[in-house]
Amino acid sequence: MFAPSRVLLRSSLRAIPRTAAPRRVVSAAAARGFASGPPKTSMPVLPILAILAAGSTAFYYLVQARKDPLPAIEAHQPAQQQQIAPPPTKKPTFSPQQVSVIFVLGGPGAGKGTQCANLVRDYGFVHLSAGDLLREEQNRAGSEFGELIKTYIREGKIVPMEVTVALLENAMKSAIAAQGKYKFLIDGFPRKLDQAYKFESDVCPSTFTLFFDCPEEVMLKRLLKRGETSGRDDDNIESIKKRFRTFTETSYPVVEYFRAQGKVIDVDATNTPEGVYAHVKKQLKDKLKTMDKA
Ligand code: UDP
Ligand code: MG
């Protein structure tokens, strides 16, 4: 969409030196004219005016081109560095007045699932883990996405967002219909900026993001321990390394995006599960009171 303006910009920049060149020729000619005394015949006014006009036009375009290059360059940055959400494509299915959505983010093994279980027990949230929903879909007999999901998960990559967003939206609708519950912890999602934009524009704007901050060496220990019994395809050292990389390069920019909006609550996730939960409750104290929906 922005490519044509960049092309125009480049070609206008290229055109400037050529168009501007006659100005220098004029002044050289004028200098020569004065060196050999005043001209004997009348001044060629029209050509001089034409040349001056061409020079001014070139100068105008040069100024315009220098004023305006940033948007074109920004528009071509990779998705995860782009901090401005595209305009919404449709009205969200749920409004934040009807439904509360808390995104729960943190690296693999940061303890998101464990802490969500505590919040479900004590505050009546519905817990939706994007990873669990994807694994369920992967194992569902007849799923057209089974193989695709399996490969993405093993490689620690992000499954195309349409699949994950649709799974989450369906699960939210089911929970509202079956349990009449309107408070959601969306765990391990969004893991990429495009998912954040799409979910907030199509499904529901988030209330805030709970971010579990944990160093890689602690997460690695936990994941290897979990791998002894989890049976998960991605709890092995090769997959774990890829997941760490995806988290740093692709998922952390989502935390920064919400942080820039003042919508991140940080939790130190290095402690024991009980210690971390105490910190979660402290951080959420005021927020939890205002979150109950009719
Ligand atoms: N995943 C994904 N999109 C999401 C959430 C998860 O593609 O929005 C995939 C991704 O491959 C990820 C895997 O599911 O590495 C496991 O996610 P899960 O949340 O279960 O991992 P955790 O963070 O709990 O270790
Ligand atoms: Mg999890």
Side-chain angles (χ1 to χ4, degrees):
M1 172 163 82
F2 291 91
S5 66
R6 209 161 66 143
V7 170
L8 271 177
L9 188 65
R10 281 223 197 98
S11 57
S12 65
L13 279 172
R14 267 201 306 274
I16 286 150
R18 280 201 297 272
T19 333
R23 278 180 104 197
R24 285 197 295 274
V25 173
V26 178
S27 45
R32 270 200 308 279
F34 283 115
S36 56
K40 293 185 177 67
T41 54
S42 65
M43 289 271 285
V45 176
L46 277 179
I48 288 174
L49 279 180
I51 288 164
L52 279 176
S56 311
T57 311
F59 183 67
Y60 171 79
Y61 281 113
L62 176 65
V63 170
Q64 290 305 309
R66 294 216 168 141
K67 261 194 212 162
D68 189 28
L70 280 178
I73 292 164
E74 263 175 17
H76 286 267
Q77 285 183 348
Q80 63 260 41
Q81 284 165 31
Q82 194 183 324
Q83 298 291 300
I84 300 164
T89 47
K90 70 167 184 126
K91 201 166 166 278
T93 306
F94 308 107
S95 81
Q97 283 73 40
Q98 288 175 294
V99 163
S100 294
V101 164
I102 302 179
F103 291 139
V104 182
L105 297 179
K112 304 180 291 290
T114 307
Q115 299 304 331
C116 283
N118 290 335
L119 288 166
V120 167
R121 183 194 62 216
D122 295 345
Y123 299 98
F125 282 99
V126 178
H127 174 214
L128 298 177
S129 153
D132 289 351
L133 289 170
L134 286 166
R135 280 183 286 272
E136 239 172 64
E137 177 64 22
Q138 173 195 311
N139 297 327
R140 189 173 61 81
S143 167
E144 57 179 307
F145 303 113
E147 273 312 303
L148 174 132
I149 295 173
K150 198 179 172 66
T151 312
Y152 273 83
I153 289 188
R154 203 183 39 237
E155 291 302 312
K157 290 197 186 139
I158 314 292
V159 174
M161 65 173 171
E162 287 74 12
V163 177
T164 319
V165 172
L167 289 172
L168 285 167
E169 183 169 358
N170 290 342
M172 287 173 74
K173 285 179 180 162
S174 309
I176 291 170
Q179 306 169 44
K181 287 189 173 174
Y182 295 86
K183 292 191 304 180
F184 293 91
L185 295 168
I186 310 261
D187 160 6
F189 177 94
R191 271 175 145 88
K192 198 172 173 183
L193 275 171
D194 63 359
Q195 290 181 328
Y197 301 152
K198 185 163 179 67
F199 186 94
E200 291 209 304
S201 79
D202 292 6
V203 183
C204 187
S206 64
T207 308
F208 60 85
T209 291
L210 191 55
F211 174 56
F212 289 96
D213 196 3
C214 197
E216 275 188 12
E217 62 268 23
V218 176
M219 298 195 286
L220 178 64
K221 254 194 224 156
R222 291 177 184 172
L223 289 171
L224 291 175
K225 183 96 194 107
R226 182 172 86 182
E228 291 169 11
T229 54
S230 71
R232 274 177 54 160
D233 284 348
D234 58 351
D235 281 346
N236 59 75
I237 188 72
E238 287 77 29
S239 294
I240 291 169
K241 279 190 196 153
K242 292 175 186 166
R243 288 158 69 196
F244 282 165
R245 196 179 166 147
T246 301
F247 176 73
T248 314
E249 291 177 357
T250 311
S251 307
Y252 192 71
V254 175
V255 180
E256 289 177 319
Y257 169 67
F258 288 123
R259 195 183 294 290
Q261 298 173 27
K263 281 175 42 171
V264 174
I265 296 184
D266 293 281
V267 172
D268 176 359
T270 37
N271 209 333
T272 59
E274 297 72 31
V276 173
Y277 189 49
H279 193 203
V280 169
K281 283 203 285 192
K282 185 169 167 258
Q283 294 288 79
L284 291 188
K285 208 168 149 236
D286 298 329
K287 297 262 180 193
L288 289 170
K289 280 186 214 147
T290 58
M291 207 170 287
D292 281 317
K293 302 290 168 189

